[in-house]
Amino acid sequence: LCMVSGRCCDQTAGALFRCELADLIVSAAYLVSTGTLHVLRFKIDLVSVTLREIFADEHGYTFVHPFNDLEVATGQGSIAMEIIKELPTVDYILVPVGGGGLCTGVSTLAKLLNPKIKVIAVEPAGAACLKASLEAGEVTTVSKINTIADGTAVQTPGDKLFPYLQANVDHVITVDDSELTLSFLDMAENHKMIVENSGLLTVAALKHLDFKGKKVVSVLSGGNMDVLTMATVVQNGLMQRDRIFTVSVMLPDKPGQLAAVSSLIAKEQ
């Protein structure tokens, strides 16, 4: 029994449960795509408890948390093994962080294999729960979340994972949504890769640090982005870089006005 979020949620619900509970999960998945995150948080928590009671407790299913699970984090840590096998002299590994499962696994195994490796966690500025928790010295819940990086839009890091994050993460960087927009544009245009906003955190973070002469790996944690979101992100990125602009002009309804506007623009150019 796996808890999922975002667009995967309705697929899992429809495929596995085939019951009224699926309708609840689908509604929660829809809410995450429209950005009403506090409503989503309430409904997801409500649904997960219901599923745990009905399926896990009554029928003996094993409940698998999406991040707050040491075995899940251990599996994700295999990424660090792959990185070190291909680049044994890596100096820095940048990892996206939301609840902390991926970052826990990668940072713990990386430090076990080579304590000199620096592991930097990167989270959205609008959902910086790990940074708040590390500064407080305990698991902390941020009051609200507001970010386009929906895969890392988490209010509270996993309590089972937090001791490992405290011990193995060297630094936390937060990234604004505007930086993710530009990073998406860079990856799509220059590298022909579609990376979701949460996965782009580590790309955007490269501009925050001086890595001259160092070997750096950015973990790109997924490409789950629908075409409408993709179009919006590209449009915003092009606007931020002044490559496109929109002009709105009120004109009187008489001949020659469009020509007058065109002539004015041509003159300014």
Side-chain angles (χ1 to χ4, degrees):
L1 175 62
C2 303
M3 289 307 299
V4 290
S5 61
R7 288 174 294 278
C8 298
C9 193
D10 56 345
Q11 298 168 6
T12 303
L16 296 182
F17 302 118
R18 304 289 184 189
C19 63
E20 293 180 1
L21 286 174
D23 295 331
L24 293 175
I25 302 176
V26 172
S27 67
Y30 176 76
L31 287 171
V32 75
S33 67
T34 57
T36 51
L37 291 171
H38 25 300
V39 178
L40 164 75
R41 174 67 53 187
F42 172 77
K43 287 202 172 187
I44 283 290
D45 287 345
L46 192 63
V47 171
S48 66
V49 170
T50 305
L51 288 173
R52 193 179 297 124
E53 290 173 350
I54 294 179
F55 288 98
D57 296 340
E58 293 186 15
H59 299 285
Y61 285 29
T62 299
F63 178 78
V64 180
H65 197 280
F67 58 84
N68 193 26
D69 185 295
L70 294 179
E71 292 186 2
V72 170
T74 300
Q76 293 174 316
S78 61
I79 294 173
M81 176 73 76
E82 295 179 30
I83 292 171
I84 293 172
K85 279 185 176 180
E86 293 199 25
L87 186 63
T89 56
V90 60
D91 297 302
Y92 289 86
I93 300 176
L94 276 63
V95 190
V97 61
L102 174 64
C103 192
T104 294
V106 171
S107 62
T108 302
L109 185 55
K111 293 292 186 179
L112 285 172
L113 296 174
N114 183 356
K116 294 182 179 180
I117 295 175
K118 300 294 184 183
V119 179
I120 298 177
V122 191
E123 62 184 347
C129 63
L130 178 59
K131 183 178 181 181
S133 297
L134 291 174
E135 289 174 351
E138 61 183 2
V139 175
T140 301
T141 299
V142 293
S143 58
K144 62 179 181 178
I145 49 180
N146 182 22
T147 177
I148 61 174
D150 54 354
T152 47
V154 178
Q155 284 184 282
T156 311
D159 59 331
K160 297 177 182 178
L161 310 174
F162 186 64
Y164 297 91
L165 294 167
Q166 277 184 307
N168 299 310
V169 170
D170 295 283
H171 187 50
V172 180
I173 295 175
T174 58
V175 170
D176 292 327
D177 283 358
S178 59
E179 297 175 85
L180 297 178
T181 299
L182 295 177
S183 295
F184 180 87
L185 200 60
D186 287 337
M187 294 300 294
E189 284 194 310
N190 301 326
H191 300 283
K192 314 307 177 191
M193 294 178 64
I194 301 300
V195 184
E196 66 181 78
N197 290 315
S198 294
L200 290 167
L201 288 165
T202 57
V203 177
L206 293 172
K207 298 179 181 179
H208 289 250
L209 298 169
D210 182 11
F211 291 127
K212 188 175 181 179
K214 301 296 183 181
K215 296 181 176 66
V216 183
V217 173
S218 290
V219 177
L220 310 181
S221 59
N224 184 21
M225 181 180 287
D226 65 76
V227 291
L228 292 178
T229 302
M230 199 181 306
T232 301
V233 172
V234 169
Q235 179 88 351
N236 290 339
L238 291 172
M239 291 175 66
Q240 285 184 52
R241 289 194 167 156
D242 297 324
R243 291 170 58 181
I244 62 171
F245 67 94
T246 302
V247 177
S248 179
V249 182
M250 293 185 65
L251 299 174
D253 187 14
K254 61 182 181 179
Q257 295 305 302
L258 184 58
V261 173
S262 301
S263 298
L264 181 62
I265 294 173
K267 182 180 177 180
E268 291 298 322
Q269 288 287 74

